[in-house]
Amino acid sequence: MQKKAITQNSQYTFKYNSSLGRHGWLRLTPAYSVRLVEEILADLNYNPRCVMEPFSGTGTTELVCANKGIPSFALEINPFLVWLGNAKLDIYPPNKVEEFLSVANVLMQNIEEYTPTELPPIYNIYRWWNPPQADFLARLKSAIKTVKDGIVVQLLTVAFCRVIIELSNAAFNHVSTSFKDDNNVSFSIEIAKETFISICKMVADGALLQPCAASKVILNDSRSVPIEYMGKYDTVITSPPYPNRISYIRELRPYMYWLDYLETSEQASDLDWKAIGGTWGKATSLLGTWKSNNLLPQYVYDIARKIANADNKSAGLMANYVLKYFEDMHSHLASVYAGLATNGKAFYIIGNSNFYGITVPAEKIYLDMMEEIGFTNVEYHIVRKRNCNKQLYEFVVSGQKA
């Protein structure tokens, strides 16, 4: 398939979601666009009975479906993202939203009186937050713990997650996290209070936009669809991690440490290894001993051999990473196909990748894996150019169960 000249099309990225109610509650770079999901749904030649999202992430697909009155469910291996997805899908009565805003104002009026919690065990934490910002967040966490109403606490926690990043020195505009040099910038607790209240108002606006259909996110490894959901979905719309070796939890660590989902770096690397193609921390060393199951088309192993022979000390690990990623996805696709209703369709929003000048054509590999598993009418099209590297694109790969 010839690649046409195409722009970065930011309307198909997380940027499009920032002002769309609950979709904009947290800014997470890997999130894909609401618009893309809406276009896929609009192009279907049937009304979905149930949509499945096997890589929930920030909950985009299921929230779009819930807002359109389409039943859905999602799978997710990360417990923080399970919480976030279900928080986005919840029903928030107007009186509870009003109570949330009232409680937030009271907490800010008295924030100095709360004893700060212990700081999360993030390595070099004052690189992330200067001491005054970290102290403010620790007091706010302590304050939220005093609130008894579960719905109010959930909304306060969403706002807390947002202010964690608003007050941080971190930037996620590159493969590796970077930090601003703000150590000499003065901190105003009054501005921090105003920031939190502003975030709460944004969260409240989204909470008042109630979903029209029920949905939920289930803690589950996406390589295997739970048996009780087999045959219950006729549409899949998802965006799995791309084969680009970026840590699955890279951008999530601040939230997960502050909310006590993580206590050690070992827990973080364990979760990254369980995710599709994880490569962070311990996962890097585990890749060195990982053995292939030979599930893939031969040309994929040829590509991996080229990567392994590149002049780089990590070349062998990256070759194993590519193979593990696609073998994990092969297991996933086989499970999704087994549970998909007859004539149902599956759509995968994915990106290709490049290692040491060697292109990994994810779109073709997905297409070939799907055809081998049994999908029919398999095709792909380019969605957008991903960055300044002319070889990197985002695609939608789709297929049907006959």
Side-chain angles (χ1 to χ4, degrees), residues 62-95:
E62 55 268 37
L63 183 54
V64 170
C65 290
N67 288 339
K68 289 182 172 293
I70 302 170
S72 65
F73 70 96
L75 310 178
E76 176 54 54
I77 199 170
N78 187 316
F80 166 73
L81 292 176
V82 172
W83 169 79
L84 177 62
N86 284 321
K88 287 184 172 182
L89 294 165
D90 219 338
I91 299 294
Y92 297 101
N95 65 311

Side-chain angles (χ1 to χ4, degrees), residues 18 54 66 70 84 108 146 167 197 200 249 291 302 308 315 330 337 346:
S18 60
I70 302 170
L84 177 62
M108 289 301 96
T146 67
L167 296 183
I197 293 301
C200 287
I249 66 164
K291 299 299 181 184
D302 295 338
H330 188 283
Y337 180 84

